């Protein structure tokens, strides 16, 4: 066998390293512009966010190099340990004093740790370990298309799988940190790729569509033309579903051989029932359970309310900032909305960091940044697919999923396509915990990938 | 695991799809849709209009008649205005609680973070009392603005005032925006475009609260405010102020002109008021009280009122008659009181005599000769011819014509002519006997005081006049050309000598009607007038005390001042108007007054008409032709 230490850097994917430095470098530059304070003009000034960000990058690089010198078997062996440690941290943090209504931090201000960030690493490692252990072979589907009931049956066998995911997710939700909780749904991507959730994913997507439509019409009502009866929007959906069901019934009757019909009929009725229950569930949840400000956030994305300066203040300022960038932007340090002195965009250095960049570099800049992230994500998939080791592949997809979610929601939120969930843009947003956890995920991936040619780990 | 391998393509597709959606959306937002750019500009950019200082107005000696002074607006920021003792505040600011509540509610509705008006246009003297107390009221701060001040406190009718523009003003002239001020009445109005200057604009960047953070494009688009040009008027403020004090407790007007230039030295309308009343936050209530005053202090009698000239008009009659050749300076007429009533005096054997004695029948007969020149054997047709001749003469003296005065609201006198009398009496239905009153300055003839002061100037100049005007200089460019030209009347200068001689005798010879106008060291030439008038009271016409009138110029050789004094319902011209005129003349020419008893008598006289001025009806005069 080759000495692993000698060849640590031989197969390291240097493109990924370059992308890393590119993103953190541009990130620091961008933060500098977003929070520029003439009294602390030095890039490295530790009082400023960009100064601190550089420190955090330094720490992350140190950790990254340390990871490079770990053995991959070490990583795999202690995957579960790491997982349980993060679980304990997640429980412990719930006993900390609340900061701004959430119990999410250990420590003080900028020198604290957010367990939720590290939970992502723990869960990824644990999931990779669990799914690669071979115990669950019988749970996997061999073909992509399988009946709904079969999928449900498979799921019963892999309850622990969901527990692995749901325990930390629930603990995070208890903080409460809805944003990070939602990122946990990115693990479904991994499950999908590994064959566990094919049709589930399909149904989930349909469910989301139904949910969105329900939410849009939840508060409204309409009149039946001709009759003078007023119906709630929800009823309208149910009626539409029933009509759809009837159409499918006739389709099945027309095109399917009689002997194959019964399972489809069962599936149809089953899905209708589930759908109607789901609609009601969503509607009740929206009208009665959600808090007002959450309801408003949803309304804003759906376009139900339109207010330039009220509840949608964040989004509108963000969109205005981005939109005003034009084709080529206003120039470095020349943003007139997303900057420190004028501060029209809230959380300019964290959640809305994309705004400063877009405003200053225009469409060219924002286009290029999207391309860089897309390339990054695709590279991660390439890395994942070239692994011989299941563990690495699964871990790679976890990382891809997490990065994809952050990318999708953070930028989507800034341009008004997603509800405002405060999650950072990887390597770009300011934040010690975020930089560190993304870096650790990233470097573990690179390390594992660098060992891909080593015979079975 | 081929099928599962396909799944990776699904994932890749999803990532690409999301990126594509983002890029498309970004393209739309940043390149195509202008709305965000506009919205961003709306949020982050703003502009402030800088108002220029208005032009200063000086009198002929360089004294400031109108200048600018700093006033204060108080503004309030609702978010910061917590825990205010509103009772103490309304007392300090001298407003009512209702006003305060109304303003607060409007401010809250507009914006909790930005400031709104609370009380505006507080004069500096009031503000010095408010300023030290402001610290007690958080969220309230002051902003400066400049408003007008009238340091000499005189000339209200000349100078005018300013207030906020209304819809009409904005419609008529696109320069004005809501909130601007515009001149009303007087010089402020007639020279509005000169005085107002040009506003500037400063573009700046603002932060999320609306606080300014920096210049926009380094001020590339900013324009500086241009101060209004200053104007020098021909007015002598000391004369103006002195005449105003003489005119207290009287109704009427005085106009004084410098004959050699046509510059108006003073224009007084009584009653008058302190122009500073119509500035600042008190403007509204002060204007209201002035408007309600039955003596009409806001009305400019000197420029806007037409009166019967009375005997002062006779000067003109004699001039026309001499020029027409129907009399000579040596012509005499008997004082035939069957023609028209007269007072007791010796015979008027010359024009000069007639002027000195102010003989009504003399001028009756002289004027008759103008009207009836024998150009037609038919008296009615003859009158029709003569009348128009007469009218054209009168008009050549600037009466009933446009005198091109640089002043708003100037009335013209009325000169009756053939067409006019035809309307009343039908064509050829009238002759001189019908209309004879015009020969003594009563009847249909109406004049303004400016026109009569101008007449005095014409006589002083021996036959020509400059258009009377206020402006002496605009921003160093001198007097406009139109006022430099000499306008000649239809009467040759040779015929002015007997008139002037007579006017001198009016004042200096015993038996002259204007002896009270005598000043020891100055040769004053004048003519008295005592104007009959009536008023409708309770639906019936009632005769009132005569108006007292005096027209004059001085000194006789090289006159410096021509003046016309008109005192309503006060009596004989020689009793009141003459002495008042002489005081003004003396004050102007020498700077002081020698006869303080005369001065005190005039100062203390209260000539405002009351019930005692309603006279019993006159006995109809029996006249024999």
């Amino acid at each position: 066998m080759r000495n692993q230490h000698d060849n640590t850097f031989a197969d390291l994917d240097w493109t990924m390293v370059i992308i890393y430095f590119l993103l953190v470098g541009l990130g620091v530059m961008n933060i500098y512009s977003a929070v520029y304070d003439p009294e602390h003009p030095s890039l490295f000034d530790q009082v400023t966010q960009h100064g601190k960000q550089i420190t955090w990058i330094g720490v992350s690089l140190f950790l990254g190099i340390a990871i490079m010198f770990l053995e991959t078997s070490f990583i795999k062996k202690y995957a579960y340990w790491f997982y349980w440690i993060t679980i304990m941290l997640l429980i412990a943090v719930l006993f900390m004093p609340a900061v701004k209504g959430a119990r999410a931090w250990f420590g003080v201000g900028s020198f604290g740790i957010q367990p939720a960030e590290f939970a992502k690493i723990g869960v990824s490692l644990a999931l990779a370990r669990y799914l690669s252990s071979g115990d669950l072979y019988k749970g996997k589907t061999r073909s992509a298309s399988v009946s709904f009931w079969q999928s449900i049956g498979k799921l019963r066998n892999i309850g622990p799988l969901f527990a692995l995911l749901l325990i930390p997710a629930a603990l995070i939700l208890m903080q409460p940190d809805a944003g990070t909780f939602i990122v946990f749904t990115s693990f479904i991507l991994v499950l999908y790729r590994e064959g566990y959730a094919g049709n589930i994913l399909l149904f989930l997507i349909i469910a989301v569509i139904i949910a969105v439509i329900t939410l849009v019409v939840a508060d409204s009502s309409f009149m039946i033309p001709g009759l003078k009866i007023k119906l709630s929007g929800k009823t309208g959906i149910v009626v539409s579903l029933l009509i759809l069901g009837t159409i499918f019934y006739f389709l099945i009757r027309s095109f399917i051989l009689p002997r194959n019909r019964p399972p489809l009929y069962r599936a149809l009725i089953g899905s209708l029932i589930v759908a109607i229950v789901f609609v009601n569930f969503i509607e009740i949840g929206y009208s009665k359970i959600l808090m007002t400000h959450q309801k408003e956030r949803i309304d804003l994305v759906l376009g139900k309310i339109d207010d330039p300066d009220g509840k949608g203040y964040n989004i509108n300022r963000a969109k205005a900032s981005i939109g005003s960038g034009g084709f080529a932007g206003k120039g470095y340090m020349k943003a007139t909305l997303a900057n420190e002195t004028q501060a029209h965009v809230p959380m300019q250095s964290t959640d809305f960091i994309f705004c400063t960049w877009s405003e200053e570099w225009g469409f060219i800049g924002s286009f290029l940044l999207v391309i860089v992230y897309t390339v990054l994500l695709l590279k991660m998939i390439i890395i994942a697919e070239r692994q011989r080791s299941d563990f690495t592949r699964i871990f790679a997809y976890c990382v891809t999923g997490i990065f994809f979610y952050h990318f999708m929601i953070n930028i989507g939120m800034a341009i008004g396509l997603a509800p405002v969930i405060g999650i950072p843009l990887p390597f770009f947003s300011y934040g010690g915990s975020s930089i560190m956890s993304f870096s650790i995920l990233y470097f573990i991936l690179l390390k594992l990938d660098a060992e891909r040619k080593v015979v079975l780990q | 695991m081929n099928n599962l391998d396909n799944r990776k393509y699904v994932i890749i597709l999803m990532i690409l799809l999301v990126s594509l959606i983002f890029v498309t959306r970004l393209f739309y937002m940043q390149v195509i849709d202008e709305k965000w750019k506009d919205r961003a500009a709306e949020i982050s950019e703003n502009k402030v209009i800088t108002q220029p200082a208005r032009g200063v107005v000086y009198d002929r000696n360089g004294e400031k008649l109108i200048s600018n002074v700093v006033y204060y607006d108080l503004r309030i920021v609702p978010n910061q205005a917590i825990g205010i003792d509103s009772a103490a505040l309304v007392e300090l600011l001298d407003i009512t609680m209702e006003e305060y509540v109304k303003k607060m509610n409007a401010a809250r509705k507009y914006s909790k973070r930005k400031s709104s008006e609370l009380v505006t246009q507080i004069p500096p003297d009031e503000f010095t009392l408010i300023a030290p107390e402001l610290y007690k009221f958080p969220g309230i701060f002051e902003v400066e603005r400049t408003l007008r001040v009238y340091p000499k406190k005189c000339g209200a009718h000349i100078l005018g005032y300013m207030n906020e523009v209304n819809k009409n003003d904005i419609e008529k002239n696109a320069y004005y925006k809501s909130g601007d001020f515009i001149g009303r009445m007087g010089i402020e109005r007639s020279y509005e475009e000169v005085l107002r200057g040009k506003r500037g604009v400063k573009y700046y960047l603002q932060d999320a609260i609306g606080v300014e953070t920096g210049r926009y494009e380094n001020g590339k688009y900013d324009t500086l405010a241009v101060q209004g040009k200053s104007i020098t008027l021909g007015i002598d403020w000391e004369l103006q102020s002195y005449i105003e004090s003489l005119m207290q407790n009287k109704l009427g007007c005085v106009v004084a002109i410098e004959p050699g230039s046509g510059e108006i030295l003073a224009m007084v309308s009584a009653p008058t008021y302190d122009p500073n009343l119509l500035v600042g936050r008190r403007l509204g209530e002060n204007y209201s009280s002035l408007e309600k005053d039955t003596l009409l202090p806001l009305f400019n009698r000197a420029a806007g009122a037409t009166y019967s000239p009375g005997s002062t008009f006779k000067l003109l009659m004699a001039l026309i008659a001499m020029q027409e050749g129907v009399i000579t300076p040596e012509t005499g007429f008997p004082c035939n009181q069957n023609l028209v009533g007269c007072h007791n005096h010796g015979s008027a054997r010359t024009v000069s005599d007639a002027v000195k004695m102010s003989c009504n029948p003399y001028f009756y007969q002289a004027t008759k000769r103008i009207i009836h020149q024998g150009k037609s054997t038919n008296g009615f047709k003859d009158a029709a011819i003569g009348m128009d001749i007469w009218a054209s003469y009168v008009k050549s003296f600037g009466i009933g014509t446009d005198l091109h005065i640089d002043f708003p609201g100037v009335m013209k006198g009325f000169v009756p002519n053939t067409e006019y009398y035809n309307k009343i009496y039908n064509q050829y239905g009238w002759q001189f006997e019908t209309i004879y009153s015009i020969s003594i300055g009563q009847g249909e003839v109406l004049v303004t005081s400016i026109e009569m002061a101008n007449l005095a100037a014409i006589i002083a100049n021996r036959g020509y006049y400059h258009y009377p005007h206020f402006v002496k200089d605009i921003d160093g460019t001198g007097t406009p050309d139109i006022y430099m030209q000499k306008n000649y009347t239809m009467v040759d200068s040779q015929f002015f000598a007997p008139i002037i001689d007579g006017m001198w005798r009016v004042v200096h010879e015993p038996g002259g009607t204007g002896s009270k106008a005598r000043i020891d060291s100055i040769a004053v030439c004048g003519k008295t007038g005592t104007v009959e008038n009536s008023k409708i009271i309770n639906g019936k016409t009632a005769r009132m005390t005569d108006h007292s009138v005096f027209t004059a110029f001085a000194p006789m050789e090289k006159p410096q001042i021509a003046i016309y004094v008109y005192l309503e319902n006060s009596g004989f011209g020689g009793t009141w108007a003459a002495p008042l005129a002489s005081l003004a003349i003396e004050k102007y020419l020498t700077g002081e007054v020698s006869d303080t008893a005369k001065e005190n008598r005039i100062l203390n006289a209260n000539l405002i008409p009351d019930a005692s001025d309603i006279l019993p009806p006159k006995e109809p005069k029996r006249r024999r032709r």
Side-chain angles (χ1 to χ4, degrees), chain A residues 151-374:
Chain A
S151 297
I152 295 284
K154 304 284 183 296
L155 284 175
R156 267 202 311 241
N157 292 332
I158 41 181
L161 176 60
F162 282 89
L164 189 154
L165 290 172
L166 286 174
I167 292 176
L171 285 170
I172 287 175
L173 193 60
M174 281 164 67
Q175 285 186 350
D177 184 350
T180 314
F181 172 75
I182 290 183
V183 173
F184 266 69
T185 55
S186 69
F187 290 110
I188 293 181
L189 199 82
V190 185
L191 296 179
Y192 171 73
R193 170 61 185 85
E194 293 304 311
Y196 290 99
N199 295 316
I200 298 283
L201 200 62
L202 187 63
F203 281 111
L204 264 180
I205 292 175
I206 296 177
V208 166
I209 294 176
I210 295 180
V212 169
I213 299 178
T214 312
L215 288 173
V216 169
V217 300
D219 283 340
S220 63
S221 56
F222 64 96
M223 305 277 290
I224 302 179
L227 307 169
K228 284 207 187 137
I229 305 173
K230 207 171 177 197
L231 294 174
S232 72
K234 176 180 71 176
T235 320
I237 297 181
V238 171
V239 168
S240 318
L241 285 172
L242 287 171
I243 294 175
L244 258 176
T246 320
I247 294 176
F248 269 110
Y249 170 74
F250 283 109
L251 282 174
I252 295 175
R253 251 177 71 133
S254 321
F255 293 108
I256 307 291
L257 293 169
R259 66 163 183 275
N260 290 334
R261 286 185 205 160
L264 287 172
Y265 284 154
R266 279 201 292 274
L268 184 62
I269 294 174
S271 351
L272 260 181
I273 294 172
V274 169
I276 294 175
V277 165
F278 182 63
V279 165
N280 279 289
F281 174 72
I282 292 285
E283 198 264 338
I284 291 172
Y286 171 74
S287 314
K288 313 257 179 344
I289 297 181
L290 274 187
M291 295 198 281
T292 325
H293 75 270
Q294 289 163 328
K295 210 168 150 189
E296 275 162 358
R297 284 191 181 174
I298 296 181
D299 283 346
L300 273 165
V301 178
L302 296 174
K304 276 167 86 168
I305 47 184
D306 170 53
D307 62 330
D309 265 350
K311 314 291 182 309
Y313 180 82
N314 291 0
I315 300 182
N316 280 291
R317 295 292 156 121
K319 287 199 275 189
S321 161
I322 292 173
S324 69
F327 188 69
K330 295 181 185 166
Y332 186 55
M333 301 286 291
K334 293 208 179 99
T336 52
L337 270 83
N339 63 56
E340 185 69 10
T341 24
Q342 293 175 267
H344 286 283
V345 178
M347 291 180 283
Q348 293 168 172
S349 58
T350 53
D351 298 344
F352 285 101
I353 191 66
F354 188 68
C355 296
T356 310
W357 178 263
S358 297
E359 205 184 329
E360 291 184 353
W361 302 104
F363 177 70
I364 296 179
S366 48
F367 174 73
L368 286 175
L369 194 65
V370 168
I371 294 294
V372 170
Y373 273 107
T374 311

Side-chain angles (χ1 to χ4, degrees), chain A residues 393-408:
Chain A
R393 183 185 66 246
I394 295 167
F395 182 77
Y397 269 106
C398 287
V399 176
T400 310
I402 292 170
F403 271 70
F404 179 53
Y405 247 70
H406 279 260
F407 163 74
M408 183 171 67

Side-chain angles (χ1 to χ4, degrees), chain A residues 96-174:
Chain A
M96 295 299 288
V99 170
K100 285 192 196 161
R103 295 180 167 80
W105 287 90
F106 285 118
V108 176
S110 39
F111 291 107
I113 306 177
Q114 248 189 320
E117 295 288 333
F118 296 100
K120 288 188 242 177
I121 308 174
V123 171
S124 304
L125 289 169
L127 191 65
R129 175 80 190 274
Y130 190 68
L131 291 178
S132 63
S133 60
D135 304 334
L136 312 163
Y137 189 70
K138 56 182 184 293
K140 287 190 181 184
T141 26
R142 262 159 261 218
S143 60
S145 61
V146 81
S147 86
F148 178 76
W149 295 111
Q150 283 177 306
S151 297
I152 295 284
K154 304 284 183 296
L155 284 175
R156 267 202 311 241
N157 292 332
I158 41 181
L161 176 60
F162 282 89
L164 189 154
L165 290 172
L166 286 174
I167 292 176
L171 285 170
I172 287 175
L173 193 60
M174 281 164 67

Side-chain angles (χ1 to χ4, degrees), chain B residues 499-509 523-526 556:
Chain B
I499 302 289
I500 294 174
D501 186 57
M503 288 173 80
W504 184 88
R505 291 164 70 193
V506 162
V507 177
H508 294 96
E509 271 189 13
V524 176
C525 297
M556 183 166 148

Side-chain angles (χ1 to χ4, degrees), chain B residues 246-300:
Chain B
L246 292 175
M247 289 293 279
Q248 67 191 350
N249 294 318
K250 301 165 186 68
L251 293 182
C253 50
V254 177
V255 178
I257 298 180
E258 183 185 64
S261 64
E263 286 164 15
I264 299 176
L265 299 167
M267 179 174 81
V268 177
S269 171
T272 183
Y273 56 93
D274 178 353
N276 290 301
L277 285 176
L278 296 186
V279 181
R281 64 190 284 214
R282 308 281 174 202
L283 194 163
E285 57 186 87
N286 289 340
Y287 189 88
S288 255
S289 357
L290 289 172
E291 221 183 0
K292 294 196 182 101
D293 189 336
T294 51
L295 297 178
L296 306 177
L298 291 171
F299 176 56
N300 184 346

